[in-house]
Amino acid sequence: MAYVHDFGEGDASRRDLLGGKGAGLAEMTQLGLAVPPGFTITTEACREFMATGQVPDGLWAEVDRAMARLESASGRTFGKGPQPLLISVRSGAAFSMPGMMDTILNLGINDQVVTELGAWSGDEHFAWDAYRRFAQMYGEVVLGVDERHFQEVLEDLRAGRRAASDADLTTKDLQHACRRFQTIINGRSGQPLPPDPEMQLREAITAVFASWGNERAFRYRRLHDIPDHLGTAANIQMMVFGDLGTNSGTGVCFTRDPGSGERRPYGDYLPRAQGEDVVAGIRNTLTLDELAPLHPACHEQLLAVMEGLEKHFRDMCDIEFTIERDRLWILQTRAGKRTAGAAVRIAVDMAEEGLISRREAVNRVDPASLEQLERPRIDDNARPMPLATGVAASPGAASGRAVFDADRADAMARDGEKLILVRAETTPEDIHGMAAAQGILTSQGGKTSHAAVVARGMGKPAVTGAAAMRVDANAKVAHIDGVTIREGDVITIDGTTGRIFNGLAPMVEPRPIDQLEQLLAWADEIRSLGVRANADTVADAKKARAAGAEGIGLARTEHMFMGERLRIVQRIILSDDPAERAAALQDLMHQQVEDFQGLLVAMDGLPVIIRLLDPPLHEFLPSRFELEQEMVQRLRLGREIADLERMSAQVARWEEDNPMLGLRGVRLGLIVSDLYRMQTQAALEAVTRQLRAGADPKLEIMIPLVVTVEELVRMRAMIEEEIRRKEAETGLQLHVLIGTMIELPRAALTAGEIAGAADFFSFGTNDLTQMTYGLSRDDAEALFLRQYLEEGLLEHNPFQTLDRQGVGRLIKVAVKEGREANPGLEVGVCGEHGGDPASIAFCRESGLDYVSASPPRVRVARLAAAQAELSGDTGSPVDR
């Protein structure tokens, strides 16, 4: 097996072997562009290094032969004059991981070569600056010396010279820096900066391979779902010098604007500089338009290269270039990183320009990124400084006054205040405060904690798991690295990046992307999987329909019972007086009719699935501790406590040791049967009103947490009894589907029985995942889930991306056996996974009819469903 390939031997199709950078260099070499010569060491070599800790046998011999070919191609000599060959050693994985792995420039220099380099260039300042840069990079990357030691030397020199940047240091300053760097390297690493260029090269290649396993690369791969086993290639390339006099420079350009997607050249150029100077931001760069008068011929060549590469790769290209003494060199190209809005615009524009097909355009946009388009964002051009960073749990940015309890947030919001709810963690009892707040900030939790899930469902920004923050809710303060935030202090959170700011951070409002609806229209033509919304309010239902939802897949009625209605529910559950219970049921029914009718109006002509009450009972009952505290207060005032004692006794009777597995869902409906009957009556009354108004209501009633077919049969009989009664009362025919939520493993495994009594299944994958894994989501995220992910015990967070092997297998069994028993069975998913692209792909593969997502993720689901269809190569007629 050959581990080394010259640039001229490969092409863009070999990125798995050559890495993205190496494949791009090979393709550009094949195109005849001015690419500095070089070679690539394959990812196979890195994988062997990772497995054994040693480079493959024979690798150094292959490298030596490749270096001889490089000397011949360049007309320069490695490690000696009169024309010294210096090289760069860069990483390059199959997937772009900018800044995550290591690079070394100017390799091949030493005390002798620096003199030869000065004579060859006629510029001693340039030669010593090249040496300084090499020593700094090599010391940090290969020998592990902390960069701050080098920076301290440069800071002292700049201060003594009153220099604005390193470029303003004198030749003597740079000579002094090199000597100091060598002393630091020897002292800190225990070994000298090697003078032998061959040793430099071998150690640098080994260090690049090792950088695949560094912490920042590992975390980047976790964030972007890049497998750990891929490894990185190493690219060895002749150095060309942008700091070789005033007629030299370096830059980065994009063939289109990566921020807006506008079709225009975009980039930065820095005279008399090397590449890292551009990205470091330590000097002000010039635009490409400002490059034109400095190097008119190079500017014209660069524009031609940009146009040619975009047409060749049929994508927006990110290009690194260097001008060395008025000669243009192209150092690298890759698909350019872009904002979500730019991605949409570029994909649609390229399809309409005929550069790509509509199917390719649909596949070019990351579905998850569409959430960003609906949220305000921080204006990073203003360079705000964050206090701390937590988990980016729900995209968007928000500013407001810090408030530390939900009741207070609700009250302050009623007075028109904009708020950020700050908690150690949120609970369902905080729902009204979360609804009142502009955003949510917690010190605990992850991307699927209660705060994260609810915030995404509400379309609100959230930052969770801010470990640097200590919240004292009683004192109404939070402490972050010496900064104290008190109630009423203004803070800003950025749920897209997880950053937290003190005070008002500048924000940019989302701008509608004209091309988005066009892209989604193409996606709708491709996909076969339906997309519905999880919506509990009229506002959410309207928002979801505007986003293209084809109905409501889940309306959680327990979310309608918070606030003032909570006391009514407590009266229904706790009262011993039948008359009091009946009165409370009637009060609640009137409100439920309005709730359900509002959803049917918003989704007229589309299905609306109303899930009957499914609360963990402890969320709906008063706390015995709080009741006891109130008793103490009353006794001090000499007031009667008999009513509180009766309530406390009732609460004690209903209390559960494990409330998540207790009297929930259909169990509560069977024990407190009037509650489900009331909800059914309210839903049927809402349908009746709509029919009489000439509308087209499509009601479906879902019974939660069924574990035996007998439970469903009994509840279905009750609902059908109410339907017959309503039909007899009104003379109308009511077509109402009755189904169940499959969220328990036993229900999935006995789906063939259950399907005989169901018109539809809806998989509640949140609880199905908890029950299958035998853990509580919130507990797992708080205690060990992050460690499991970091150590590779879990490949994905199963509450974010559906577990195919376990939970997915249960779903497939239930779909197969359910449809065998009931061929007309409608099947969907309404858990949080309904908005996750990878989970949506599984749902399409498994033959589901639809997914249901929170309103902000409806567009995400539409695009992801189309991409899932394309992965199956369906040959949709949308392709042109």
Side-chain angles (χ1 to χ4, degrees):
M1 177 186 294
Y3 291 109
V4 175
H5 297 266
D6 290 347
F7 290 162
E9 297 175 354
D11 58 49
S13 67
R14 306 182 72 187
R15 63 184 301 115
D16 287 345
L17 185 68
L18 303 176
K21 190 173 296 182
L25 287 165
E27 188 77 6
M28 290 193 298
T29 301
Q30 296 282 4
L31 291 172
L33 298 184
V35 176
F39 57 90
T40 298
I41 305 174
T42 65
T43 56
E44 286 284 359
C46 180
R47 285 193 284 272
E48 188 160 337
F49 174 81
M50 290 189 294
T52 66
Q54 302 290 328
V55 300
D57 291 341
L59 177 64
W60 298 135
E62 283 193 62
V63 169
D64 290 344
R65 291 193 293 272
M67 285 300 298
R69 294 193 298 272
L70 179 54
E71 287 182 318
S72 176
S74 66
R76 302 178 186 182
T77 308
F78 187 55
K80 62 180 71 170
Q83 297 185 66
L85 170 65
L86 300 190
I87 59 174
S88 63
V89 181
R90 301 174 187 260
S91 60
F95 295 94
S96 177
M97 296 172 57
M100 294 302 109
M101 293 175 294
D102 292 324
T103 292
I104 301 162
L105 303 181
N106 302 328
L107 189 144
I109 198 169
N110 54 29
D111 287 352
Q112 177 185 349
V113 171
V114 70
T115 303
E116 302 278 2
L117 191 67
W120 169 77
S121 65
D123 187 344
E124 281 196 337
H125 184 279
F126 154 76
W128 283 98
D129 191 44
Y131 200 4
R132 183 271 303 179
R133 290 172 188 268
F134 168 71
Q136 189 172 342
M137 287 185 176
Y138 195 93
E140 180 189 2
V141 171
V142 179
L143 301 178
V145 179
D146 193 323
E147 188 197 16
R148 65 186 173 87
H149 298 299
F150 303 124
Q151 290 298 338
E152 287 170 359
V153 172
L154 295 172
E155 286 169 6
D156 288 345
L157 289 170
R158 288 195 300 269
R161 188 67 60 187
R162 295 184 178 179
S165 71
D166 297 338
D168 299 320
L169 297 177
T170 66
T171 301
K172 287 187 177 180
D173 291 334
L174 295 171
Q175 290 173 334
H176 176 73
C178 285
R179 301 308 177 208
R180 289 280 304 277
F181 284 2
Q182 289 174 320
T183 301
I184 289 168
I185 288 168
N186 202 12
R188 295 283 173 179
S189 70
Q191 53 186 304
L193 183 69
D196 179 11
E198 184 174 307
M199 180 182 290
Q200 293 174 8
L201 177 57
R202 293 185 178 188
E203 291 190 351
I205 291 169
T206 303
V208 164
F209 285 162
S211 73
W212 177 257
N214 69 38
E215 185 65 20
R216 65 181 184 273
F218 176 81
R219 290 183 176 178
Y220 186 93
R221 293 197 296 273
R222 291 284 75 74
L223 287 171
H224 295 274
D225 291 326
I226 298 173
D228 288 329
H229 70 269
L230 296 179
T232 180
N235 297 287
I236 289 79
Q237 188 173 27
M238 180 187 83
M239 286 292 303
V240 290
F241 302 103
D243 52 350
L244 195 56
T246 56
N247 58 351
S248 302
T250 191
V252 177
C253 61
F254 297 82
T255 57
R256 303 195 186 208
D257 187 329
S260 68
E262 184 181 353
R263 189 181 183 185
R264 65 181 180 89
Y266 177 98
D268 295 313
Y269 175 74
L270 196 57
R272 197 164 188 173
Q274 284 199 350
E276 71 269 22
D277 299 332
V278 178
V279 295
I282 55 177
R283 291 164 58 193
N284 292 329
T285 58
L286 305 178
T287 67
L288 295 187
D289 288 341
E290 292 170 314
L291 167 65
L294 296 176
H295 302 278
C298 290
H299 179 260
E300 187 175 337
Q301 292 169 24
L302 179 63
L303 293 182
V305 167
M306 294 169 72
E307 183 178 359
L309 286 177
E310 180 174 281
K311 286 181 178 178
H312 181 77
F313 287 107
R314 300 184 310 118
D315 200 357
M316 182 191 83
C317 295
D318 170 356
I319 301 165
E320 294 182 18
F321 66 94
T322 286
I323 296 173
E324 183 187 85
R325 290 179 171 170
D326 286 319
R327 182 178 179 184
L328 177 68
W329 294 91
I330 306 300
L331 306 185
Q332 175 179 314
T333 190
R334 58 189 173 192
K337 300 290 186 183
R338 62 207 78 179
T339 65
V344 169
R345 179 171 180 175
I346 290 169
V348 172
D349 285 355
M350 285 189 169
E352 292 182 337
E353 292 162 15
L355 200 58
I356 60 176
S357 72
R358 292 180 178 182
R359 292 161 68 88
E360 288 177 294
V362 166
N363 256 337
R364 285 282 176 91
V365 178
D366 175 14
S369 71
L370 297 187
E371 282 189 85
Q372 300 173 21
L373 302 181
E374 300 185 28
R375 314 279 174 84
R377 56 188 175 82
I378 300 296
D379 183 4
D380 285 319
N381 290 329
R383 299 181 182 272
M385 292 297 296
L387 281 176
T389 301
V391 175
S394 183
S399 296
R401 297 188 182 280
V403 61
F404 294 87
D405 71 79
D407 291 337
R408 180 73 173 142
D410 191 39
M412 291 174 68
R414 290 175 188 272
D415 292 332
E417 293 277 11
K418 291 188 175 181
L419 312 164
I420 302 295
L421 180 64
V422 183
R423 305 283 282 161
E425 59 183 342
T426 62
T427 70
E429 294 178 12
D430 294 323
I431 193 76
H432 55 305
M434 299 172 78
Q438 305 299 305
I440 295 97
L441 170 62
T442 68
S443 59
Q444 301 173 28
K447 286 193 173 184
T448 56
S449 64
H450 178 267
V453 172
V454 173
R456 285 198 295 271
M458 291 180 170
K460 295 178 183 289
V463 174
T464 60
M469 179 174 71
R470 184 167 55 85
V471 177
D472 186 342
N474 292 325
K476 299 182 178 179
V477 296
H479 304 282
I480 305 177
D481 290 340
V483 176
T484 299
I485 299 168
R486 296 179 171 81
E487 184 174 284
D489 290 349
V490 174
I491 59 173
T492 301
I493 62 169
D494 182 0
T496 304
T497 63
R499 294 175 296 174
I500 306 158
F501 302 90
N502 198 9
L504 282 171
M507 280 190 275
V508 178
E509 286 300 315
R511 298 183 301 272
I513 306 298
D514 295 337
Q515 293 84 354
L516 178 58
E517 291 310 315
Q518 180 63 78
L519 183 76
L520 292 173
W522 295 340
D524 292 341
E525 292 179 43
I526 294 169
R527 65 181 171 89
S528 60
L529 194 66
V531 175
R532 301 184 188 180
N534 299 337
D536 315 318
T537 66
V538 173
D540 278 350
K542 289 180 177 178
K543 184 187 300 182
R545 184 157 193 168
E550 297 159 330
I552 291 177
L554 175 63
R556 295 156 289 201
T557 55
E558 62 272 11
H559 286 191
M560 303 171 182
F561 288 0
M562 294 300 179
E564 295 176 0
R565 298 186 189 184
L566 185 58
R567 296 190 180 278
I568 303 175
V569 180
Q570 291 171 354
R571 283 164 55 202
I572 295 169
I573 296 173
L574 298 177
S575 178
D576 285 328
D577 182 352
E580 182 183 12
R581 177 179 287 183
L585 282 164
Q586 197 63 28
D587 286 348
L588 196 56
M589 179 175 171
H590 291 312
Q591 298 181 63
Q592 284 273 268
V593 171
E594 298 297 327
D595 294 333
F596 298 153
Q597 188 175 5
L599 296 179
L600 291 170
V601 169
M603 288 287 173
D604 189 50
L606 299 175
V608 173
I609 297 181
I610 290 172
R611 183 177 73 184
L612 301 181
L613 186 66
D614 181 26
L617 198 58
H618 68 287
E619 296 178 10
F620 277 61
L621 298 181
S623 160
R624 273 209 294 160
F625 175 77
E626 291 176 358
L627 290 171
E628 289 168 5
Q629 293 293 102
E630 190 173 344
M631 287 185 216
V632 170
Q633 294 294 330
R634 285 196 189 182
L635 287 171
R636 287 175 180 168
L637 298 172
R639 294 169 58 190
E640 177 62 47
I641 62 168
D643 61 327
L644 295 179
E645 288 178 322
R646 286 193 299 273
M647 184 175 287
S648 182
Q650 285 286 74
V651 171
R653 183 169 73 86
W654 288 95
E655 274 184 339
E656 301 166 326
D657 289 331
N658 191 338
M660 293 301 292
L661 296 174
L663 197 60
R664 283 187 53 193
V666 69
R667 302 163 193 165
L668 180 64
L670 290 167
I671 299 302
V672 188
S673 58
D674 289 345
L675 197 52
Y676 272 20
R677 190 176 292 274
M678 176 277 294
Q679 288 192 294
T680 301
Q681 291 170 351
L684 296 175
E685 174 62 23
V687 170
T688 299
R689 292 184 183 183
Q690 286 301 100
L691 286 171
R692 285 174 170 165
D696 184 20
K698 295 185 181 299
L699 174 68
E700 301 181 23
I701 295 178
M702 181 158 64
I703 300 163
L705 215 76
V706 163
V707 71
T708 69
V709 68
E710 289 80 8
E711 292 171 321
L712 180 57
V713 166
R714 186 170 300 186
M715 292 309 304
R716 184 180 185 108
M718 181 276 289
I719 294 170
E720 289 178 335
E721 177 186 328
E722 289 298 324
I723 292 173
R724 289 192 296 272
R725 187 191 63 77
K726 195 67 173 176
E727 286 179 333
E729 173 192 315
T730 63
L732 297 169
Q733 276 202 324
L734 306 180
H735 300 285
V736 178
L737 299 183
I738 302 168
T740 186
M741 178 177 277
I742 304 293
E743 48 195 323
L744 298 172
R746 189 183 188 281
L749 293 171
T750 60
E753 294 181 8
I754 293 173
D759 298 319
F760 66 86
F761 283 169
S762 181
F763 290 99
T765 51
N766 297 349
D767 272 345
L768 187 56
T769 299
Q770 291 191 109
M771 300 299 183
T772 302
Y773 275 82
L775 51 81
S776 160
R777 177 179 62 195
D778 290 344
D779 291 344
E781 289 195 327
L783 296 174
F784 64 85
L785 191 54
R786 181 177 295 181
Q787 182 177 343
Y788 262 49
L789 293 167
E790 289 177 352
E791 294 183 4
L793 293 167
L794 287 173
E795 188 174 350
H796 302 287
N797 182 335
F799 298 108
Q800 291 179 21
T801 297
L802 199 141
D803 161 43
R804 288 172 172 248
Q805 288 74 30
V807 177
R809 190 174 180 190
L810 288 171
I811 289 173
K812 286 188 172 183
V813 167
V815 172
K816 178 179 181 292
E817 297 185 4
R819 284 197 171 135
E820 286 175 353
N822 180 359
L825 188 73
E826 181 184 67
V827 184
V829 157
C830 62
E832 185 73 9
H833 301 92
D836 170 63
S839 304
I840 289 168
F842 172 82
C843 292
R844 184 260 172 193
E845 293 167 21
S846 303
L848 272 64
D849 295 302
Y850 68 86
V851 295
S852 191
S854 58
R857 301 177 87 182
V858 166
R859 291 186 174 92
V860 172
R862 290 168 64 192
L863 184 59
Q867 292 184 358
E869 198 80 21
L870 290 172
S871 70
D873 192 22
T874 62
S876 167
V878 77
D879 195 10
R880 292 187 179 176

